[in-house]
């Protein structure tokens, strides 16, 4: 079955620490990859996405993600987190003609 | 630009009762999605519409769930009768069209359903 795995359920960091959230998927072939974020009390919103081309994509608020095809991974990174980055982060994958599949999410808590 | 609107925001019902959720997508968006998000899980697609036609309803429990988008704009998702395991957040999302797999989906605030 198609799946998306997010390795960390809950990550706790101090402000200014670096962040990396793992995401792996189980499909072969061409995929589109997404990271969504849900801040407390807010809607799910797109953080960044990968279609094709440069495997390092940059998103909003200083986030970036790297697509490594050989590892079926799309890890999210930020060099220095802020308290306002406290949120739930979802990785999602889609192949042409199929539904968007979400991982279970990672809760990030940043202490000031 | 107005976002995806959903109502109600919260609903509490008893098992075996029926419930309906409403979604109004972003103006001009042809594709509309309903997702179910159970606590501790990521959203799972229930049904996808392209205008007023169903594109994918493979994960919709059709014995109790139904959805329609009659005029190709707003949509209603219904559960009848509800079960305890239907307790979840029901998210509506929309996107411009279905021509690109990488198209961005915009999500509404969700309806939080509790079945007692």
């Amino acid at each position: 079955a198609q799946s998306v795995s997010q390795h960390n359920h809950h990550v706790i960091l101090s402000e200014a620490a670096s962040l990396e959230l793992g995401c792996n998927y189980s499909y072969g072939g061409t995929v589109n990859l997404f990271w969504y974020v849900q801040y407390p009390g807010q809607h799910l919103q797109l953080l960044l996405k990968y279609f094709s081309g440069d495997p390092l994509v940059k998103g909003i608020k200083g986030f970036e993600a790297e697509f490594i095809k050989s590892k079926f991974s799309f890890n999210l990174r930020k060099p220095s987190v802020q308290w306002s980055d406290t949120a739930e982060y979802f990785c999602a994958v889609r192949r042409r003609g199929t539904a968007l599949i979400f991982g279970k999410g990672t809760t990030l808590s940043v202490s000031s | 630009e107005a976002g995806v609107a959903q109502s109600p925001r919260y609903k509490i019902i008893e098992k075996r009762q029926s419930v309906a959720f409403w979604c109004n997508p972003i103006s001009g968006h042809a594709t509309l999605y309903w997702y179910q998000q159970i606590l501790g899980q990521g959203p799972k697609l229930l049904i996808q519409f392209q205008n007023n036609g169903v594109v994918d309803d493979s994960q919709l429990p059709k014995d109790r769930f139904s959805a329609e988008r009659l005029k190709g704009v707003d949509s209603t998702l219904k559960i009848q009768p509800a079960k305890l395991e239907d307790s979840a957040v029901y998210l509506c999302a929309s996107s411009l069209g279905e021509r690109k797999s990488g198209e961005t989906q915009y999500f509404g605030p969700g309806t939080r359903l509790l079945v007692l």
Side-chain angles (χ1 to χ4, degrees):
Chain A
Q2 303 172 356
S3 69
V4 178
S5 299
Q6 292 185 239
H7 313 301
N8 311 100
H9 180 62
H10 193 181
V11 173
I12 302 172
L13 295 173
S14 300
E15 273 194 316
S18 64
L19 170 71
E20 181 160 2
L21 300 182
C23 174
N24 285 90
Y25 60 94
S26 63
Y27 323 117
T30 302
V31 293
N32 297 120
L33 301 156
F34 306 80
W35 276 97
Y36 279 84
V37 60
Q38 188 166 24
Y39 297 104
Q42 296 189 25
H43 308 181
L44 264 175
Q45 58 185 282
L46 184 69
L47 202 52
L48 49 78
K49 61 183 176 182
Y50 172 79
F51 285 19
S52 62
D54 189 344
L56 184 63
V57 293
K58 296 189 183 300
I60 60 173
K61 303 185 180 185
F63 285 90
E64 65 179 29
E66 184 176 12
F67 170 49
I68 303 179
K69 189 173 182 179
S70 61
K71 295 184 178 180
F72 298 90
S73 69
F74 190 55
N75 292 353
L76 181 70
R77 299 194 294 247
K78 185 171 184 178
S80 176
V81 294
Q82 301 172 324
W83 177 81
S84 58
D85 293 324
T86 294
E88 191 156 17
Y89 293 81
F90 293 93
C91 179
V93 179
R94 190 174 192 186
R95 294 191 301 172
R96 183 177 296 278
T98 67
L100 187 61
I101 306 296
F102 284 84
K104 291 186 176 182
T106 297
T107 301
L108 172 65
S109 300
V110 180
S111 58
S112 57
Chain B
E1 177 183 82
V4 176
Q6 290 188 247
S7 68
R9 294 294 308 276
Y10 305 93
K11 190 74 178 179
I12 302 174
I13 61 172
E14 294 186 349
K15 60 184 179 183
R16 292 188 288 275
Q17 286 187 322
S18 62
V19 64
F21 313 127
W22 174 83
C23 172
N24 192 29
I26 294 172
S27 177
H29 280 195
T31 308
L32 185 148
Y33 313 79
W34 282 102
Y35 288 86
Q36 180 192 58
Q37 185 176 13
I38 293 172
L39 188 66
Q41 305 283 327
K44 182 186 81 171
L45 181 71
L46 291 175
I47 189 167
Q48 176 184 337
F49 292 94
Q50 176 75 6
N51 297 308
N52 61 352
V54 175
V55 174
D56 183 353
D57 64 356
S58 57
Q59 298 193 85
L60 186 74
K62 299 180 185 64
D63 57 334
R64 298 184 300 106
F65 286 65
S66 64
E68 58 184 16
R69 193 184 184 200
L70 293 176
K71 296 182 180 179
V73 181
D74 57 347
S75 175
T76 303
L77 176 70
K78 296 180 181 178
I79 308 174
Q80 182 178 12
K83 292 185 175 181
L84 297 177
E85 59 261 35
D86 298 332
S87 295
V89 177
Y90 291 85
L91 296 167
C92 180
S94 70
S95 64
L96 276 171
E98 194 40 33
R99 299 194 185 280
K100 295 180 181 178
S101 293
E103 197 166 67
T104 299
Q105 296 181 23
Y106 296 87
F107 285 81
T111 296
R112 190 174 297 273
L113 173 68
L114 178 61
V115 182
L116 301 176

